Short mmCIF file of all heavy atoms in Angstrom, two decimals:
data_model
loop_
_atom_site.label_atom_id
_atom_site.label_comp_id
_atom_site.label_asym_id
_atom_site.label_seq_id
_atom_site.Cartn_x
_atom_site.Cartn_y
_atom_site.Cartn_z
N MET A 1 3.73 25.19 4.68
CA MET A 1 3.04 23.98 4.34
C MET A 1 3.72 22.82 5.06
O MET A 1 4.93 22.75 5.16
CB MET A 1 3.07 23.77 2.83
CG MET A 1 2.36 22.51 2.41
SD MET A 1 2.30 22.27 0.63
CE MET A 1 1.11 23.51 0.22
N ALA A 2 2.93 21.92 5.53
CA ALA A 2 3.46 20.76 6.24
C ALA A 2 4.17 19.83 5.26
O ALA A 2 3.75 19.65 4.12
CB ALA A 2 2.34 20.03 6.96
N HIS A 3 5.24 19.22 5.72
CA HIS A 3 5.99 18.31 4.86
C HIS A 3 5.37 16.92 4.80
O HIS A 3 5.78 16.10 4.00
CB HIS A 3 7.44 18.21 5.35
CG HIS A 3 8.18 19.49 5.22
ND1 HIS A 3 8.59 19.98 4.01
CD2 HIS A 3 8.55 20.40 6.14
CE1 HIS A 3 9.21 21.13 4.19
NE2 HIS A 3 9.19 21.41 5.47
N ASP A 4 4.40 16.66 5.67
CA ASP A 4 3.77 15.35 5.68
C ASP A 4 2.41 15.34 5.00
O ASP A 4 1.58 14.49 5.25
CB ASP A 4 3.66 14.84 7.12
CG ASP A 4 2.83 15.76 7.99
OD1 ASP A 4 2.54 16.89 7.59
OD2 ASP A 4 2.47 15.33 9.10
N HIS A 5 2.18 16.29 4.13
CA HIS A 5 0.90 16.40 3.44
C HIS A 5 0.61 15.16 2.60
O HIS A 5 1.38 14.80 1.73
CB HIS A 5 0.90 17.65 2.55
CG HIS A 5 -0.34 17.82 1.74
ND1 HIS A 5 -1.51 18.23 2.30
CD2 HIS A 5 -0.59 17.60 0.45
CE1 HIS A 5 -2.44 18.26 1.36
NE2 HIS A 5 -1.90 17.89 0.22
N GLY A 6 -0.50 14.49 2.89
CA GLY A 6 -0.92 13.35 2.10
C GLY A 6 -0.32 12.02 2.48
O GLY A 6 -0.61 11.01 1.87
N HIS A 7 0.52 11.99 3.50
CA HIS A 7 1.16 10.73 3.90
C HIS A 7 0.35 10.07 5.01
O HIS A 7 0.83 9.88 6.12
CB HIS A 7 2.60 10.97 4.36
CG HIS A 7 3.47 11.45 3.25
ND1 HIS A 7 4.07 10.58 2.37
CD2 HIS A 7 3.83 12.69 2.87
CE1 HIS A 7 4.78 11.28 1.49
NE2 HIS A 7 4.64 12.56 1.77
N THR A 8 -0.90 9.71 4.68
CA THR A 8 -1.78 9.06 5.65
C THR A 8 -2.43 7.86 4.98
O THR A 8 -2.52 7.79 3.75
CB THR A 8 -2.87 10.02 6.13
OG1 THR A 8 -3.69 10.38 5.02
CG2 THR A 8 -2.28 11.28 6.76
N PRO A 9 -2.89 6.91 5.78
CA PRO A 9 -3.60 5.76 5.18
C PRO A 9 -4.82 6.18 4.37
O PRO A 9 -5.10 5.60 3.32
CB PRO A 9 -4.01 4.93 6.39
CG PRO A 9 -3.02 5.27 7.45
CD PRO A 9 -2.70 6.72 7.22
N ALA A 10 -5.53 7.20 4.80
CA ALA A 10 -6.71 7.66 4.07
C ALA A 10 -6.32 8.21 2.70
O ALA A 10 -6.96 7.90 1.68
CB ALA A 10 -7.45 8.73 4.87
N ALA A 11 -5.27 9.01 2.64
CA ALA A 11 -4.84 9.59 1.38
C ALA A 11 -4.33 8.52 0.42
O ALA A 11 -4.66 8.53 -0.77
CB ALA A 11 -3.76 10.64 1.63
N TRP A 12 -3.52 7.60 0.93
CA TRP A 12 -2.98 6.54 0.07
C TRP A 12 -4.08 5.63 -0.45
O TRP A 12 -4.10 5.29 -1.63
CB TRP A 12 -1.94 5.72 0.83
CG TRP A 12 -0.60 6.38 0.85
CD1 TRP A 12 -0.06 7.08 1.89
CD2 TRP A 12 0.35 6.43 -0.20
NE1 TRP A 12 1.17 7.56 1.53
CE2 TRP A 12 1.45 7.17 0.25
CE3 TRP A 12 0.37 5.92 -1.49
CZ2 TRP A 12 2.56 7.40 -0.55
CZ3 TRP A 12 1.49 6.15 -2.28
CH2 TRP A 12 2.56 6.89 -1.80
N THR A 13 -5.00 5.24 0.41
CA THR A 13 -6.08 4.34 -0.02
C THR A 13 -6.97 4.99 -1.05
O THR A 13 -7.27 4.40 -2.10
CB THR A 13 -6.91 3.89 1.20
OG1 THR A 13 -6.04 3.29 2.15
CG2 THR A 13 -7.99 2.91 0.80
N GLY A 14 -7.38 6.22 -0.79
CA GLY A 14 -8.22 6.93 -1.75
C GLY A 14 -7.52 7.13 -3.08
O GLY A 14 -8.13 6.97 -4.15
N SER A 15 -6.25 7.47 -3.04
CA SER A 15 -5.49 7.69 -4.27
C SER A 15 -5.30 6.41 -5.07
O SER A 15 -5.41 6.42 -6.31
CB SER A 15 -4.12 8.28 -3.95
OG SER A 15 -4.25 9.54 -3.35
N ILE A 16 -5.02 5.32 -4.40
CA ILE A 16 -4.82 4.05 -5.10
C ILE A 16 -6.11 3.58 -5.75
O ILE A 16 -6.13 3.14 -6.91
CB ILE A 16 -4.23 2.99 -4.14
CG1 ILE A 16 -2.79 3.35 -3.80
CG2 ILE A 16 -4.32 1.60 -4.75
CD1 ILE A 16 -2.18 2.53 -2.69
N ILE A 17 -7.22 3.67 -5.02
CA ILE A 17 -8.51 3.27 -5.60
C ILE A 17 -8.85 4.15 -6.80
O ILE A 17 -9.30 3.67 -7.84
CB ILE A 17 -9.62 3.31 -4.54
CG1 ILE A 17 -9.37 2.24 -3.47
CG2 ILE A 17 -10.99 3.09 -5.18
CD1 ILE A 17 -10.29 2.33 -2.28
N ALA A 18 -8.63 5.46 -6.68
CA ALA A 18 -8.91 6.37 -7.78
C ALA A 18 -8.00 6.08 -8.98
O ALA A 18 -8.44 6.15 -10.14
CB ALA A 18 -8.75 7.82 -7.34
N PHE A 19 -6.75 5.73 -8.73
CA PHE A 19 -5.82 5.39 -9.82
C PHE A 19 -6.28 4.14 -10.55
O PHE A 19 -6.23 4.08 -11.78
CB PHE A 19 -4.41 5.20 -9.27
CG PHE A 19 -3.42 4.80 -10.32
CD1 PHE A 19 -3.01 5.70 -11.28
CD2 PHE A 19 -2.91 3.51 -10.37
CE1 PHE A 19 -2.10 5.33 -12.27
CE2 PHE A 19 -2.01 3.13 -11.34
CZ PHE A 19 -1.61 4.05 -12.30
N VAL A 20 -6.74 3.14 -9.80
CA VAL A 20 -7.26 1.92 -10.43
C VAL A 20 -8.48 2.27 -11.29
O VAL A 20 -8.62 1.79 -12.42
CB VAL A 20 -7.60 0.85 -9.37
CG1 VAL A 20 -8.40 -0.29 -9.97
CG2 VAL A 20 -6.34 0.34 -8.72
N GLY A 21 -9.36 3.12 -10.78
CA GLY A 21 -10.52 3.56 -11.55
C GLY A 21 -10.12 4.30 -12.81
O GLY A 21 -10.73 4.12 -13.88
N PHE A 22 -9.09 5.13 -12.72
CA PHE A 22 -8.59 5.84 -13.88
C PHE A 22 -8.08 4.87 -14.94
O PHE A 22 -8.35 5.02 -16.13
CB PHE A 22 -7.49 6.81 -13.45
CG PHE A 22 -6.83 7.52 -14.58
CD1 PHE A 22 -7.42 8.61 -15.18
CD2 PHE A 22 -5.59 7.09 -15.06
CE1 PHE A 22 -6.81 9.27 -16.23
CE2 PHE A 22 -4.98 7.74 -16.11
CZ PHE A 22 -5.59 8.84 -16.70
N CYS A 23 -7.35 3.85 -14.48
CA CYS A 23 -6.83 2.84 -15.42
C CYS A 23 -7.97 2.06 -16.07
O CYS A 23 -7.94 1.80 -17.28
CB CYS A 23 -5.87 1.90 -14.70
SG CYS A 23 -4.34 2.69 -14.19
N VAL A 24 -8.96 1.67 -15.28
CA VAL A 24 -10.10 0.93 -15.82
C VAL A 24 -10.83 1.79 -16.85
O VAL A 24 -11.16 1.32 -17.96
CB VAL A 24 -11.05 0.50 -14.68
CG1 VAL A 24 -12.38 0.00 -15.22
CG2 VAL A 24 -10.40 -0.57 -13.82
N ALA A 25 -11.10 3.03 -16.52
CA ALA A 25 -11.80 3.92 -17.45
C ALA A 25 -10.98 4.12 -18.72
O ALA A 25 -11.54 4.15 -19.83
CB ALA A 25 -12.08 5.26 -16.78
N GLY A 26 -9.67 4.26 -18.58
CA GLY A 26 -8.81 4.45 -19.76
C GLY A 26 -8.82 3.24 -20.69
O GLY A 26 -8.90 3.38 -21.91
N VAL A 27 -8.74 2.06 -20.12
CA VAL A 27 -8.75 0.84 -20.93
C VAL A 27 -10.07 0.70 -21.67
O VAL A 27 -10.11 0.43 -22.87
CB VAL A 27 -8.46 -0.41 -20.05
CG1 VAL A 27 -8.79 -1.69 -20.80
CG2 VAL A 27 -7.03 -0.41 -19.58
N PHE A 28 -11.17 0.90 -20.97
CA PHE A 28 -12.47 0.75 -21.61
C PHE A 28 -12.76 1.87 -22.60
O PHE A 28 -13.50 1.68 -23.56
CB PHE A 28 -13.58 0.64 -20.57
CG PHE A 28 -13.67 -0.73 -19.96
CD1 PHE A 28 -13.33 -0.94 -18.64
CD2 PHE A 28 -14.09 -1.81 -20.72
CE1 PHE A 28 -13.41 -2.20 -18.07
CE2 PHE A 28 -14.17 -3.08 -20.17
CZ PHE A 28 -13.84 -3.28 -18.85
N MET A 29 -12.15 3.05 -22.39
CA MET A 29 -12.32 4.13 -23.36
C MET A 29 -11.64 3.75 -24.67
O MET A 29 -12.19 3.96 -25.75
CB MET A 29 -11.74 5.44 -22.81
CG MET A 29 -11.98 6.62 -23.73
SD MET A 29 -11.50 8.20 -23.03
CE MET A 29 -9.80 7.93 -22.62
N VAL A 30 -10.45 3.17 -24.59
CA VAL A 30 -9.74 2.74 -25.79
C VAL A 30 -10.50 1.62 -26.50
O VAL A 30 -10.53 1.54 -27.73
CB VAL A 30 -8.30 2.30 -25.44
CG1 VAL A 30 -7.62 1.64 -26.61
CG2 VAL A 30 -7.49 3.50 -24.95
N MET A 31 -11.15 0.75 -25.70
CA MET A 31 -11.92 -0.35 -26.28
C MET A 31 -13.30 0.10 -26.77
O MET A 31 -14.06 -0.72 -27.29
CB MET A 31 -12.10 -1.46 -25.22
CG MET A 31 -10.82 -2.14 -24.85
SD MET A 31 -10.96 -3.28 -23.45
CE MET A 31 -12.41 -4.17 -23.80
N ALA A 32 -13.63 1.37 -26.60
CA ALA A 32 -14.93 1.94 -26.99
C ALA A 32 -16.08 1.22 -26.30
O ALA A 32 -17.12 0.96 -26.89
CB ALA A 32 -15.10 1.92 -28.50
N ASN A 33 -15.89 0.93 -25.03
CA ASN A 33 -16.90 0.27 -24.22
C ASN A 33 -17.43 1.29 -23.21
O ASN A 33 -16.79 1.54 -22.18
CB ASN A 33 -16.29 -0.94 -23.51
CG ASN A 33 -17.31 -1.74 -22.75
OD1 ASN A 33 -18.22 -1.20 -22.15
ND2 ASN A 33 -17.12 -3.05 -22.76
N VAL A 34 -18.59 1.86 -23.50
CA VAL A 34 -19.13 2.95 -22.68
C VAL A 34 -19.47 2.49 -21.25
O VAL A 34 -19.11 3.18 -20.29
CB VAL A 34 -20.34 3.61 -23.38
CG1 VAL A 34 -20.97 4.67 -22.50
CG2 VAL A 34 -19.90 4.22 -24.70
N PRO A 35 -20.16 1.34 -21.07
CA PRO A 35 -20.46 0.93 -19.69
C PRO A 35 -19.19 0.68 -18.86
O PRO A 35 -19.15 1.01 -17.67
CB PRO A 35 -21.26 -0.36 -19.86
CG PRO A 35 -21.83 -0.29 -21.22
CD PRO A 35 -20.83 0.46 -22.04
N GLY A 36 -18.16 0.10 -19.46
CA GLY A 36 -16.91 -0.12 -18.75
C GLY A 36 -16.24 1.19 -18.36
O GLY A 36 -15.68 1.32 -17.27
N PHE A 37 -16.32 2.18 -19.26
CA PHE A 37 -15.77 3.50 -18.96
C PHE A 37 -16.46 4.10 -17.74
O PHE A 37 -15.80 4.59 -16.82
CB PHE A 37 -15.93 4.42 -20.17
CG PHE A 37 -15.65 5.87 -19.86
CD1 PHE A 37 -14.35 6.32 -19.72
CD2 PHE A 37 -16.69 6.77 -19.68
CE1 PHE A 37 -14.09 7.65 -19.42
CE2 PHE A 37 -16.44 8.09 -19.37
CZ PHE A 37 -15.15 8.53 -19.24
N TRP A 38 -17.78 4.04 -17.72
CA TRP A 38 -18.52 4.63 -16.60
C TRP A 38 -18.30 3.83 -15.31
O TRP A 38 -18.36 4.38 -14.22
CB TRP A 38 -19.99 4.80 -16.93
CG TRP A 38 -20.18 5.95 -17.86
CD1 TRP A 38 -20.55 5.90 -19.17
CD2 TRP A 38 -19.94 7.33 -17.57
NE1 TRP A 38 -20.56 7.16 -19.71
CE2 TRP A 38 -20.19 8.07 -18.75
CE3 TRP A 38 -19.54 8.03 -16.44
CZ2 TRP A 38 -20.07 9.45 -18.82
CZ3 TRP A 38 -19.42 9.41 -16.51
CH2 TRP A 38 -19.67 10.10 -17.68
N ALA A 39 -18.03 2.53 -15.44
CA ALA A 39 -17.69 1.74 -14.26
C ALA A 39 -16.36 2.24 -13.67
O ALA A 39 -16.21 2.37 -12.45
CB ALA A 39 -17.58 0.27 -14.61
N GLY A 40 -15.40 2.55 -14.54
CA GLY A 40 -14.14 3.12 -14.08
C GLY A 40 -14.33 4.47 -13.42
O GLY A 40 -13.70 4.78 -12.40
N MET A 41 -15.21 5.28 -13.97
CA MET A 41 -15.51 6.58 -13.37
C MET A 41 -16.14 6.40 -12.00
O MET A 41 -15.86 7.17 -11.07
CB MET A 41 -16.41 7.41 -14.29
CG MET A 41 -15.76 7.76 -15.62
SD MET A 41 -14.24 8.71 -15.46
CE MET A 41 -14.91 10.29 -15.00
N ALA A 42 -17.00 5.39 -11.87
CA ALA A 42 -17.63 5.11 -10.58
C ALA A 42 -16.58 4.68 -9.56
O ALA A 42 -16.66 5.04 -8.37
CB ALA A 42 -18.69 4.03 -10.73
N ILE A 43 -15.58 3.93 -10.00
CA ILE A 43 -14.50 3.51 -9.09
C ILE A 43 -13.72 4.73 -8.60
O ILE A 43 -13.32 4.79 -7.43
CB ILE A 43 -13.57 2.49 -9.78
CG1 ILE A 43 -14.34 1.19 -10.05
CG2 ILE A 43 -12.34 2.21 -8.93
CD1 ILE A 43 -13.59 0.19 -10.91
N ILE A 44 -13.53 5.71 -9.46
CA ILE A 44 -12.85 6.94 -9.05
C ILE A 44 -13.64 7.64 -7.94
O ILE A 44 -13.08 8.08 -6.93
CB ILE A 44 -12.64 7.88 -10.25
CG1 ILE A 44 -11.66 7.25 -11.24
CG2 ILE A 44 -12.17 9.26 -9.80
CD1 ILE A 44 -11.55 7.99 -12.55
N VAL A 45 -14.95 7.73 -8.11
CA VAL A 45 -15.80 8.36 -7.09
C VAL A 45 -15.76 7.55 -5.80
O VAL A 45 -15.70 8.11 -4.70
CB VAL A 45 -17.24 8.52 -7.62
CG1 VAL A 45 -18.18 8.98 -6.52
CG2 VAL A 45 -17.27 9.48 -8.79
N ILE A 46 -15.77 6.22 -5.92
CA ILE A 46 -15.69 5.36 -4.74
C ILE A 46 -14.38 5.62 -4.00
O ILE A 46 -14.34 5.65 -2.76
CB ILE A 46 -15.84 3.89 -5.13
CG1 ILE A 46 -17.28 3.62 -5.56
CG2 ILE A 46 -15.43 2.96 -4.01
CD1 ILE A 46 -17.49 2.28 -6.22
N GLY A 47 -13.29 5.82 -4.73
CA GLY A 47 -12.01 6.14 -4.10
C GLY A 47 -12.08 7.41 -3.27
O GLY A 47 -11.54 7.48 -2.16
N ALA A 48 -12.75 8.42 -3.81
CA ALA A 48 -12.90 9.67 -3.06
C ALA A 48 -13.75 9.46 -1.81
O ALA A 48 -13.43 9.99 -0.74
CB ALA A 48 -13.52 10.73 -3.95
N LEU A 49 -14.80 8.68 -1.95
CA LEU A 49 -15.67 8.42 -0.79
C LEU A 49 -14.96 7.61 0.28
O LEU A 49 -15.08 7.89 1.48
CB LEU A 49 -16.94 7.70 -1.25
CG LEU A 49 -17.88 8.51 -2.15
CD1 LEU A 49 -19.02 7.64 -2.64
CD2 LEU A 49 -18.40 9.73 -1.42
N VAL A 50 -14.20 6.60 -0.13
CA VAL A 50 -13.46 5.77 0.83
C VAL A 50 -12.40 6.61 1.54
O VAL A 50 -12.24 6.53 2.76
CB VAL A 50 -12.83 4.54 0.13
CG1 VAL A 50 -11.82 3.84 1.03
CG2 VAL A 50 -13.90 3.57 -0.31
N GLY A 51 -11.67 7.41 0.79
CA GLY A 51 -10.66 8.28 1.41
C GLY A 51 -11.28 9.26 2.40
O GLY A 51 -10.76 9.48 3.49
N GLY A 52 -12.42 9.84 2.03
CA GLY A 52 -13.11 10.77 2.93
C GLY A 52 -13.63 10.07 4.17
O GLY A 52 -13.55 10.60 5.29
N ALA A 53 -14.18 8.88 3.99
CA ALA A 53 -14.69 8.12 5.14
C ALA A 53 -13.55 7.73 6.08
O ALA A 53 -13.70 7.79 7.31
CB ALA A 53 -15.44 6.89 4.65
N MET A 54 -12.42 7.34 5.50
CA MET A 54 -11.27 6.99 6.35
C MET A 54 -10.75 8.20 7.10
O MET A 54 -10.32 8.10 8.25
CB MET A 54 -10.16 6.36 5.50
CG MET A 54 -10.48 4.95 5.05
SD MET A 54 -9.14 4.22 4.10
CE MET A 54 -7.89 4.00 5.38
N ARG A 55 -10.78 9.36 6.45
CA ARG A 55 -10.34 10.58 7.13
C ARG A 55 -11.25 10.89 8.31
O ARG A 55 -10.79 11.25 9.39
CB ARG A 55 -10.33 11.75 6.15
CG ARG A 55 -9.83 13.03 6.80
CD ARG A 55 -9.57 14.12 5.82
NE ARG A 55 -10.58 15.01 5.36
CZ ARG A 55 -11.52 15.64 6.07
NH1 ARG A 55 -11.67 15.40 7.32
NH2 ARG A 55 -12.33 16.49 5.53
N LEU A 56 -12.56 10.73 8.10
CA LEU A 56 -13.50 10.96 9.19
C LEU A 56 -13.35 9.93 10.31
O LEU A 56 -13.65 10.23 11.46
CB LEU A 56 -14.93 10.94 8.65
CG LEU A 56 -15.32 12.11 7.75
CD1 LEU A 56 -16.72 11.89 7.18
CD2 LEU A 56 -15.24 13.42 8.51
N ALA A 57 -12.88 8.73 9.96
CA ALA A 57 -12.67 7.68 10.95
C ALA A 57 -11.36 7.85 11.73
O ALA A 57 -11.06 7.07 12.62
CB ALA A 57 -12.70 6.31 10.28
N GLY A 58 -10.58 8.86 11.38
CA GLY A 58 -9.35 9.14 12.12
C GLY A 58 -8.08 8.66 11.46
O GLY A 58 -7.02 8.70 12.07
N PHE A 59 -8.16 8.23 10.21
CA PHE A 59 -6.96 7.75 9.51
C PHE A 59 -6.33 8.82 8.62
O PHE A 59 -5.41 8.54 7.88
CB PHE A 59 -7.30 6.53 8.65
CG PHE A 59 -7.63 5.32 9.45
CD1 PHE A 59 -8.95 4.93 9.64
CD2 PHE A 59 -6.64 4.57 10.05
CE1 PHE A 59 -9.26 3.82 10.38
CE2 PHE A 59 -6.94 3.46 10.79
CZ PHE A 59 -8.26 3.08 10.97
N GLY A 60 -6.83 10.03 8.70
CA GLY A 60 -6.30 11.13 7.89
C GLY A 60 -5.42 12.04 8.72
O GLY A 60 -5.15 11.80 9.90
N GLN A 61 -4.99 13.11 8.10
CA GLN A 61 -4.13 14.07 8.77
C GLN A 61 -4.97 14.92 9.71
O GLN A 61 -6.10 15.30 9.40
CB GLN A 61 -3.46 14.95 7.72
CG GLN A 61 -2.40 15.86 8.27
CD GLN A 61 -1.65 16.56 7.16
OE1 GLN A 61 -2.05 16.50 6.01
NE2 GLN A 61 -0.59 17.23 7.50
N GLU A 62 -4.43 15.22 10.89
CA GLU A 62 -5.14 16.06 11.84
C GLU A 62 -5.23 17.48 11.30
O GLU A 62 -4.30 17.97 10.67
CB GLU A 62 -4.41 16.08 13.18
CG GLU A 62 -4.39 14.75 13.89
CD GLU A 62 -3.68 14.84 15.22
OE1 GLU A 62 -3.38 15.96 15.68
OE2 GLU A 62 -3.41 13.79 15.79
N LYS A 63 -6.35 18.12 11.58
CA LYS A 63 -6.51 19.51 11.14
C LYS A 63 -5.71 20.41 12.07
O LYS A 63 -5.74 20.26 13.28
CB LYS A 63 -7.97 19.92 11.14
CG LYS A 63 -8.75 19.24 10.06
CD LYS A 63 -10.08 19.92 9.88
CE LYS A 63 -10.75 19.31 8.69
NZ LYS A 63 -11.75 20.16 8.13
N ARG A 64 -4.99 21.33 11.46
CA ARG A 64 -4.20 22.28 12.23
C ARG A 64 -4.80 23.66 12.04
O ARG A 64 -5.31 23.97 10.97
CB ARG A 64 -2.75 22.27 11.74
CG ARG A 64 -2.09 20.94 11.93
CD ARG A 64 -0.69 20.97 11.41
NE ARG A 64 -0.15 19.62 11.43
CZ ARG A 64 0.89 19.25 10.76
NH1 ARG A 64 1.53 20.10 10.01
NH2 ARG A 64 1.31 18.01 10.82
N PRO A 65 -4.70 24.51 13.04
CA PRO A 65 -5.23 25.87 12.86
C PRO A 65 -4.43 26.61 11.79
O PRO A 65 -3.22 26.43 11.66
CB PRO A 65 -5.07 26.51 14.23
CG PRO A 65 -4.08 25.66 14.95
CD PRO A 65 -4.15 24.29 14.35
N HIS A 66 -5.12 27.42 11.03
CA HIS A 66 -4.45 28.19 9.97
C HIS A 66 -3.61 29.29 10.60
O HIS A 66 -4.04 29.97 11.52
CB HIS A 66 -5.47 28.81 9.02
CG HIS A 66 -6.23 27.80 8.25
ND1 HIS A 66 -5.67 27.11 7.21
CD2 HIS A 66 -7.50 27.33 8.35
CE1 HIS A 66 -6.54 26.29 6.69
NE2 HIS A 66 -7.68 26.39 7.38
N ARG A 67 -2.43 29.45 10.06
CA ARG A 67 -1.57 30.53 10.53
C ARG A 67 -1.83 31.76 9.69
O ARG A 67 -1.99 31.68 8.47
CB ARG A 67 -0.10 30.14 10.41
CG ARG A 67 0.27 29.02 11.31
CD ARG A 67 1.74 28.77 11.20
NE ARG A 67 2.10 27.64 12.05
CZ ARG A 67 3.32 27.41 12.46
NH1 ARG A 67 4.30 28.21 12.09
NH2 ARG A 67 3.58 26.40 13.22
N GLN A 68 -1.86 32.87 10.34
CA GLN A 68 -2.05 34.12 9.61
C GLN A 68 -0.74 34.54 8.98
O GLN A 68 0.33 34.29 9.52
CB GLN A 68 -2.56 35.21 10.54
CG GLN A 68 -3.93 34.93 11.10
CD GLN A 68 -4.38 36.01 12.05
OE1 GLN A 68 -3.58 36.84 12.44
NE2 GLN A 68 -5.64 36.01 12.40
N ALA A 69 -0.83 35.18 7.86
CA ALA A 69 0.38 35.67 7.18
C ALA A 69 1.03 36.76 8.02
O ALA A 69 0.37 37.48 8.80
CB ALA A 69 0.02 36.20 5.80
N ALA A 70 2.33 36.90 7.89
CA ALA A 70 3.06 37.90 8.67
C ALA A 70 2.58 39.31 8.38
O ALA A 70 2.52 40.15 9.27
CB ALA A 70 4.56 37.78 8.36
N SER A 71 2.15 39.56 7.14
CA SER A 71 1.69 40.91 6.81
C SER A 71 0.33 41.20 7.45
O SER A 71 0.00 42.34 7.70
CB SER A 71 1.61 41.07 5.29
OG SER A 71 0.68 40.13 4.78
N ALA A 72 -0.45 40.18 7.72
CA ALA A 72 -1.77 40.39 8.31
C ALA A 72 -1.65 40.71 9.80
O ALA A 72 -2.57 41.29 10.38
CB ALA A 72 -2.63 39.16 8.11
N ARG A 73 -0.55 40.32 10.42
CA ARG A 73 -0.39 40.57 11.86
C ARG A 73 -0.05 42.03 12.16
O ARG A 73 -0.29 42.50 13.23
CB ARG A 73 0.73 39.69 12.41
CG ARG A 73 0.36 38.24 12.42
CD ARG A 73 1.46 37.46 13.06
NE ARG A 73 1.45 36.12 12.46
CZ ARG A 73 2.42 35.28 12.50
NH1 ARG A 73 3.54 35.60 13.12
NH2 ARG A 73 2.32 34.11 11.94
N SER A 74 0.56 42.73 11.23
CA SER A 74 0.97 44.10 11.51
C SER A 74 -0.10 45.11 11.30
O SER A 74 -1.18 44.97 11.01
CB SER A 74 2.16 44.52 10.71
OG SER A 74 2.32 43.85 9.51
#
């Protein structure tokens, strides 16, 4: 496994946006505010979309070819 997994602008941005959405949803869940909760859930989805879009734009980790296991080579 690569030691730099997740250390990209796309991963950090998506994670931070999703974390903010999680916090918003949690606060509104405690306040028993259903629309606010779903707004927080929408922010989480937006975080995933932004992270994915940034990855496609070249701000994510480069794809590397999968290595075969040593037992599969023999």
Side-chain angles (χ1 to χ4, degrees):
M1 180 177 287
H3 295 287
D4 60 348
H5 177 74
H7 294 276
T8 63
W12 278 101
T13 303
S15 297
I16 290 170
I17 293 171
F19 178 71
V20 168
F22 176 79
C23 292
V24 168
V27 167
F28 281 111
M29 184 172 57
V30 171
M31 293 172 45
N33 185 322
V34 176
F37 168 77
W38 286 110
M41 296 301 286
I43 294 171
I44 293 171
V45 172
I46 290 169
L49 294 174
V50 168
M54 287 182 69
R55 182 169 86 44
L56 291 174
F59 291 101
Q61 188 173 9
E62 294 181 11
K63 290 194 174 202
R64 298 179 188 163
H66 294 286
R67 294 184 182 200
Q68 295 178 348
S71 61
R73 291 184 209 162
S74 26

